[in-house]
């Protein structure tokens, strides 16, 4: 299982890009951290998700 | 007045009103930016939502500098992490450091803020630290490479005005960086007063978000900030400790 933004998902084996394409994330507007390290956009396609990976996907929201 | 610029990390701004984008409709952002005359707008970083298709960046006019904050950070490490993610989002090097350990008063943790400032300034960020107005910490922030200091006027979202006025004045007098009054300003008169004191800019969010008419309040704040800035540059006249001083000639009276 891979933990994405707090939820456990059965997506081990896919690349990060494959996972993202199966969702509604706007890839122009997100940044991703894998196991605490920032993952540059160009690596999404080469990054294979493994059991135990922790992924954080963030974007901007309103704030002060 | 056109050469009276606000300079942050080598970037020049004409507007001295930094706008928040929290707690109001995305549809109001464009009008708020326009009526505030703002050139900088703050944002927060949160887990992305797959449900809604709309992103705040689509609502911010082009040419506006984005100032991500590190809200949600409870210590320097978390603030650094959020700042790096914000930069990865691809909207520049500005960051407002905001580190809080309690959710009741939302007061900034000055010590952790200095630590985060030092790390992020070395990484090339334009660091704008939100802080409790303490002279020693402000000096530490200067040494750590901050681009300005952002003392609070009153607790975040309180609209209580310049509760820390005396201490903000000390920072203005002693700190060789822009002093941007952040948090607590609720009314244009308070923004104007801070600018008259020599504040370099005002950051406001809740004052607008809780106003009955947001764009109108944005416009009122803008005018107040400009008035206060001009008054500061004009150098306000002296105050008599007692008595009066006639404004009219004391000769030529129509008597005797």
């Amino acid at each position: 299982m891979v933990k994405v933004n707090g939820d456990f998902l059965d997506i081990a084996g896919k690349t990060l890009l494959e996972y993202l394409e199966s969702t509604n994330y706007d890839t122009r507007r997100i940044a991703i951290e894998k196991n605490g390290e920032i993952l540059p956009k160009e690596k999404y396609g080469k990054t294979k998700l493994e059991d135990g990976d922790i992924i954080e996907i963030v974007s901007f929201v309103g704030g002060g | 007045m056109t050469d009276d610029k606000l300079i942050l990390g080598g970037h020049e701004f004409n507007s001295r009103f930094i706008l928040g984008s929290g707690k109001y409709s995305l549809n109001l952002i464009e009008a708020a930016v326009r009526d505030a005359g703002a050139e900088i707008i703050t944002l927060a970083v949160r887990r992305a939502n797959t449900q809604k298709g709309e992103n705040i960046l689509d609502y911010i006019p082009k040419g506006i500098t984005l100032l991500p904050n590190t809200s949600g950070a409870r210590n320097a490490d978390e603030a650094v992490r959020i700042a790096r993610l914000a930069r990865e989002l691809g909207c520049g090097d500005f960051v407002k450091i905001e580190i809080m350990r309690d959710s009741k008063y939302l007061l900034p943790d000055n010590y952790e803020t200095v630590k985060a400032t030092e790390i992020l300034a070395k990484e090339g960020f334009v660091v704008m630290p939100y802080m409790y107005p303490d002279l020693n910490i402000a000096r530490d922030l200067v040494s750590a490479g901050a681009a300005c200091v952002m003392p609070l006027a009153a607790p975040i979202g309180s609209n209580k005005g310049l509760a820390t006025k005396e201490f903000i004045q000390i920072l203005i007098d002693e700190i060789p960086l822009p002093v941007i009054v952040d948090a607590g300003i609720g009314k244009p008169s308070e923004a104007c007063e801070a600018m008259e004191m020599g504040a370099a800019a005002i950051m406001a969010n809740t004052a607008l978000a809780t106003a009955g008419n947001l764009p109108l309040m944005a416009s009122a704040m803008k005018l107040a900030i400009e008035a206060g800035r001009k008054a500061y540059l004009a150098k306000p006249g002296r105050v008599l400790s007692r008595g009066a001083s006639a404004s009219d000639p004391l000769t030529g009276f129509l008597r005797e």
Side-chain angles (χ1 to χ4, degrees):
Chain A
M1 298 295 261
V2 178
K3 197 174 180 184
V4 179
N5 283 0
D7 293 326
F8 288 97
L9 303 178
D10 188 14
I11 52 173
K14 289 186 179 186
T15 68
L16 185 56
L17 188 61
E18 284 167 347
Y19 164 66
L20 291 171
E21 284 171 347
S22 72
T23 68
N24 291 321
Y25 287 114
D26 181 348
T27 50
R28 299 167 307 138
R29 304 293 203 207
I30 57 174
I32 298 186
E33 212 184 58
K34 182 187 166 215
N35 300 331
E37 298 286 329
I38 288 175
L39 209 56
K41 279 193 173 34
E42 59 272 17
K43 289 196 178 165
Y44 292 177
K46 297 176 209 150
T47 301
K48 203 143 211 167
L49 296 168
E50 292 171 19
D51 266 329
D53 279 347
I54 297 175
I55 304 292
E56 289 288 341
I57 305 176
V58 303
S59 63
F60 284 129
V61 297
Chain B
M1 290 287 288
T2 50
D3 58 348
D4 178 39
K5 309 279 191 197
L6 170 65
I7 299 173
L8 296 167
H11 301 262
E12 289 188 352
F13 299 93
N14 293 305
S15 167
R16 292 177 179 272
F17 186 5
I18 298 175
L19 194 66
S21 64
K23 297 188 293 190
Y24 61 93
S25 163
L26 296 177
N27 293 312
L28 279 171
I29 288 179
E30 190 177 355
V33 168
R34 182 191 64 225
D35 293 2
E39 294 172 324
I40 303 175
I41 190 165
T42 61
L43 298 166
V45 176
R46 289 291 182 275
R47 280 177 169 170
N49 195 337
T50 52
Q51 310 306 317
K52 281 183 267 175
E54 51 189 33
N55 186 286
I56 191 167
L57 295 180
D58 297 325
Y59 291 80
I60 298 175
K62 287 200 167 41
I64 302 294
T65 296
L66 302 181
L67 175 57
N69 68 35
T70 65
S71 65
R74 294 161 297 181
N75 54 48
D77 287 344
E78 290 180 2
V80 167
R81 179 186 180 198
I82 294 169
R84 289 172 180 160
L85 280 166
R87 182 151 72 178
E88 183 64 20
L89 282 163
C91 299
D93 294 329
F94 283 75
V95 65
K96 174 183 154 186
I97 298 184
E98 206 176 308
I99 301 175
M100 291 145 195
R101 279 193 289 185
D102 86 291
S103 56
K104 183 175 181 186
Y105 299 106
L106 299 172
L107 292 171
D109 184 320
N110 276 351
Y111 175 63
E112 293 292 320
T113 300
V114 172
K115 288 202 288 185
T117 298
E118 190 159 19
I119 294 166
L120 293 171
K122 279 187 186 146
E123 293 183 13
F125 283 89
V126 176
V127 183
M128 301 174 63
Y130 171 60
M131 49 109 51
Y132 195 87
D134 175 282
L135 178 58
N136 296 310
I137 288 293
R139 285 179 170 149
D140 290 345
L141 289 168
V142 174
S143 306
C148 66
V149 294
M150 301 182 84
L152 61 93
I156 289 179
S158 68
N159 283 350
K160 281 187 168 177
L162 281 172
T164 60
K165 181 179 173 184
E166 297 296 329
F167 303 95
I168 287 176
Q169 186 68 67
I170 291 171
L171 299 191
I172 290 169
D173 292 345
E174 301 300 329
I175 296 300
L177 290 176
V179 174
I180 299 176
V181 177
D182 184 1
I185 295 290
K187 292 195 287 291
S189 56
E190 297 152 3
C192 186
E193 184 175 9
M195 294 303 293
E196 284 173 3
M197 287 162 53
I202 302 292
M203 151 88 216
N205 186 339
T206 302
L208 305 187
T210 60
N213 182 327
L214 191 155
L216 191 57
M217 186 57 83
S219 168
M221 281 284 185
K222 170 182 187 277
L223 294 172
I225 289 164
E226 288 174 1
R229 180 63 184 176
K230 286 188 184 180
Y232 169 74
L233 294 174
K235 298 190 174 68
R238 86 284 184 272
V239 177
L240 295 179
S241 60
R242 57 174 58 194
S245 172
S247 303
D248 312 302
L250 291 171
T251 55
F253 292 122
L254 283 70
R255 65 188 180 210
E256 293 165 13

